[in-house]
Amino acid sequence: MTERILVNQLAARPDGPVVVSGWVETVRDQKKVQFIILRDETGAVQLVNPATRPDPEAEQDAAALALTDAISNLAHGTFLTVTGQLKHDERVKLGGIEIKIGALQIAAAALPETPIAADSSMDKRMDWRFLDLRQRRNNLIFRVSTTLEHAMRQYWVDRDYVELHTPKLMSSPSESNAELFALPYFEDKTAYLAQSPQHYKQMAQAAGFGKIFEIGDVFRADPSFTSRHATEFTSVDAEISWIDSHEDVAAMQEELLAAAIQAVKDKHGQEIAELFGVEVTVPTLPFPRIPLVEAHEIVKARGYEIPRTDGDLDPEGERQISAHVQETYGHQFVFITDYHPEIRPFYHMVDPATGLTKSYDLLFNGVEITTGAQREHRIEVLEQQALAKGLKLDGLAHYLDFFRYGMPPHGGFGMGLARVLMLLLGEASIREVTFLFRGPTRLAP
Amino acid sequence: MTERILVNQLAARPDGPVVVSGWVETVRDQKKVQFIILRDETGAVQLVNPATRPDPEAEQDAAALALTDAISNLAHGTFLTVTGQLKHDERVKLGGIEIKIGALQIAAAALPETPIAADSSMDKRMDWRFLDLRQRRNNLIFRVSTTLEHAMRQYWVDRDYVELHTPKLMSSPSESNAELFALPYFEDKTAYLAQSPQHYKQMAQAAGFGKIFEIGDVFRADPSFTSRHATEFTSVDAEISWIDSHEDVAAMQEELLAAAIQAVKDKHGQEIAELFGVEVTVPTLPFPRIPLVEAHEIVKARGYEIPRTDGDLDPEGERQISAHVQETYGHQFVFITDYHPEIRPFYHMVDPATGLTKSYDLLFNGVEITTGAQREHRIEVLEQQALAKGLKLDGLAHYLDFFRYGMPPHGGFGMGLARVLMLLLGEASIREVTFLFRGPTRLAP
């Protein structure tokens, strides 16, 4: 391995020889002195070279001439390794250190014209996502994501959850017949891409796994162009047995999120504040809960009339509720509970006392990030609920079989990873926080 | 949440009232006494009930009669919750404890006829995988998998790797045009399912991410029916910048595997020995390395003639080499190195000194689990190598663009999670260690 020193470790080292590797962020090619700002995944450092310009009248060092010439010709983005002398110098604005270049070895030179700039349109930036991701704030997004995910997994592993990888190729739709990608499979069969791991995380309950989680890809042939939708996204899912109601799921999810956001704040809080202007807030427990009917009253009292007639909230309604919760409880999260079965999937359990589902949506800073529920585990009731939605039991045959040989009461949630990241960092679109976004008109690079 | 006590925590509790939940593994319905073996995700416990049989001549307790009757009618697999009195009793073979049943609440009754038994054919067991997974050893497989994965992620997170979720929907093949699933996308486009995250983990190097990993699904329209192939599987991938050769990748991977297997041994070693008859061995570092040419000589000297003519090893050759390594070095792992470019993808770097690729395969107990390599990062060389393989640069346009604006030297590996689990547990097929296997004739449940 090249014995390079990461840029963020230079300040702690004494003056002397060092090797650094990274890419050229800028070159200042002055007549007498040349500066390179070199960036790696941990930071940026200034490199300096006293220029040796050709002078027919002087005796000159060929190597020094060549080095000066090489630096003059460096394109932004070129990856290189520099051997040089580290010097601490308070006058250097960038971290108070500088490296005097000894030798410079180009790994791969960049074309001289960079196709995008930091202020290019989002679509153009997505065309050249690998260059866009060189920005420090974009790099930070994925370090935050890594920390967030790892903290969630740690929470679950500490509590003996089993991590699953459920199949994405299925013989029948996992959620609904809408927004479904289909593909030819072997022997003239048709396969469908999983819209969620719903069937299989429930299957794990029938298998007696008790508590499971999965962080994996799901697919929706969704023609939307909103800031919150994608045709492929990372879904964070959990499912647990022996619950009394959706409240047990909500209690787990709020603890999970508090632990994960705490980990992000501890590791990246300062850098997030610097690069995103956002103070990471660890949510207090429990999160506020508001029944859907009450939510409607609150939104109405704030002067907003929800246009949809099915009883669900719309995006502006969600923003209004979150604003209310922020003003009233100083909280960024709120569980909306007690949805009518008409606006929920057939597999949500209905509370006989109210006729409403034992389910919730979780809003974070005005956007829905989760649906959670207790599932109906009694096969007779489940079949009735499916039929009441106009579904054909044939298409659900494999799923329904899971319930015929014993099933514990259970429930869980699914959460969009990109939505959580977007809202945590105050970004405007999930496109900004997805490594490579996929949408109806976006399948490359 | 139901205040159930997990079965593996009962032994440490004093005699007295307890609540347990799980499924019925067996019922022994004797005339005077009834026994239920109840299993949950942590173990099994014996429940006992002194039977009250109808006797027209005696005055009898209706509740006691009903309880006895309910137990007599319990089907295997039924999930239930039992409230009762825990009693420590050395005479009870199953853990020295017993619960006298007070009340019994059925969550969901199983149909009386279970469609499979532990000795059913693999195909039949896969039809009813959720029942098959109730077996203790099958449950353990996924707990081992959880520990293995978490330990790998911990290794990477401790070293500042970034976790990625690369897209599985692509506009062009990620590896080759063979074994490719294609599907209609929006606006008459065709999408391909990723065969590996190869393109994108390299893109992350161009993006300056430095070190990345991904554990995610990949897809191969592979018509094979071997014990090692699937049409969808979980791939463990890593990619790192600023390497000198594939040796830097191999050094990381062997450390990673040693750490992960150590974690499995620590947490599950005893149970694996009991249920799989396998002693988990933490591999010593470094793993043995054998150049491919030498491997051929070793196999030949052992009396096996490899039938394939392209110079690669075949499955029997791999077993022979692993047997040799086990006999010679007492090691379960071996890196086979120095493959000829003809049997490697175009993006492997060629060592000009030897004309061979800077790549390796890693064998574990006789089966290939990984290909690793330094990648060619110089665009001119990369294009030449692609053309030499007969590839059209058009189809690789997005991938090749990643190399035009600067790229560090880099390399990585891809590893099949199910293969590692299969070999670690001494199982005969990846089907046994995959939650839901997918193959040419297997798309459900």
Side-chain angles (χ1 to χ4, degrees), chain A residues 1 168 185 231-232 248, chain B residues 1 168-169 185 231-232 248:
Chain A
M1 203 90 179
K168 306 312 164 197
Y185 201 68
T231 54
E232 175 179 359
D248 293 325
Chain B
M1 200 90 178
K168 306 310 166 199
L169 295 172
Y185 201 68
T231 54
E232 175 178 0
D248 293 325

Side-chain angles (χ1 to χ4, degrees), chain B residues 14-298:
Chain B
D15 286 1
V18 289
V19 180
V20 290
S21 298
W23 66 95
V24 175
E25 197 166 75
T26 57
V27 178
R28 268 191 299 145
D29 191 16
Q30 299 172 0
K31 192 173 176 215
K32 299 226 161 152
V33 62
Q34 300 174 300
F35 296 98
I36 302 172
I37 303 298
L38 181 90
R39 183 170 289 284
D40 72 8
E41 64 268 34
T42 68
V45 64
Q46 177 167 293
L47 315 179
V48 63
N49 182 53
T52 306
R53 306 290 179 184
D55 179 355
E57 295 178 12
E59 196 167 319
Q60 293 182 295
D61 180 55
L65 277 167
L67 178 60
T68 299
D69 191 51
I71 294 172
S72 293
N73 287 301
L74 272 182
H76 300 179
T78 293
F79 279 73
L80 44 75
T81 293
V82 165
T83 308
Q85 292 291 325
L86 174 69
K87 198 180 162 199
H88 288 72
D89 182 343
E90 284 179 6
R91 293 167 302 175
V92 180
K93 281 183 196 163
L94 192 62
I97 50 173
E98 191 174 67
I99 296 171
K100 184 166 176 299
I101 299 172
L104 177 155
Q105 192 188 356
I106 292 176
L111 290 178
E113 294 293 330
T114 307
I116 56 160
D119 62 351
S120 295
S121 73
M122 183 183 284
D123 215 49
K124 192 134 193 229
R125 286 194 286 115
M126 285 199 290
D127 283 342
W128 300 96
R129 184 62 163 158
F130 63 102
L131 297 175
D132 187 42
L133 289 172
R134 287 184 189 168
Q135 290 184 66
R136 198 175 149 208
R137 72 197 305 274
N138 285 344
N139 183 291
L140 178 60
I141 290 168
F142 297 93
R143 296 186 184 275
V144 168
S145 179
T146 303
T147 301
L148 189 79
E149 279 187 62
H150 196 64
M152 288 194 286
R153 290 202 188 88
Q154 190 67 54
Y155 174 93
W156 284 319
V157 167
D158 286 347
R159 287 157 184 80
D160 285 329
Y161 283 60
V162 175
E163 177 163 11
L164 291 188
H165 299 284
T166 64
K168 306 310 166 199
L169 295 172
M170 303 176 66
S171 61
S172 57
S174 52
E175 285 284 338
S176 78
N177 289 304
E179 302 182 353
L180 193 59
F181 285 116
L183 65 148
Y185 201 68
F186 291 89
E187 296 168 8
D188 299 326
K189 285 196 290 282
T190 297
Y192 302 96
L193 293 184
Q195 297 154 305
S196 84
Q198 188 63 35
H199 287 197
Y200 300 132
K201 60 186 192 162
Q202 292 193 252
M203 187 189 107
Q205 311 309 306
F209 276 35
K211 293 173 285 188
I212 63 96
F213 71 93
E214 174 167 14
I215 301 182
D217 262 28
V218 294
F219 306 87
R220 304 269 170 100
D222 184 339
S224 314
F225 286 93
T226 79
S227 61
R228 309 177 311 282
H229 291 92
T231 54
E232 175 178 0
F233 62 93
T234 304
S235 184
V236 178
D237 281 89
E239 195 82 18
I240 52 178
S241 285
W242 302 109
I243 62 171
D244 290 331
S245 80
H246 59 294
E247 261 301 324
D248 293 325
V249 180
M252 179 263 282
Q253 192 179 2
E254 63 190 3
E255 260 193 37
L256 174 82
L257 280 166
I261 294 172
Q262 181 73 60
V264 168
K265 188 182 178 70
D266 291 347
K267 192 158 182 179
H268 311 286
Q270 203 177 332
E271 213 175 345
I272 291 171
E274 182 191 340
L275 295 177
F276 291 86
V278 169
E279 192 68 38
V280 176
T281 309
V282 179
T284 53
L285 301 183
F287 296 178
R289 271 92 166 144
I290 300 179
L292 181 60
V293 170
E294 249 178 71
H296 274 277
E297 287 162 11
I298 291 164

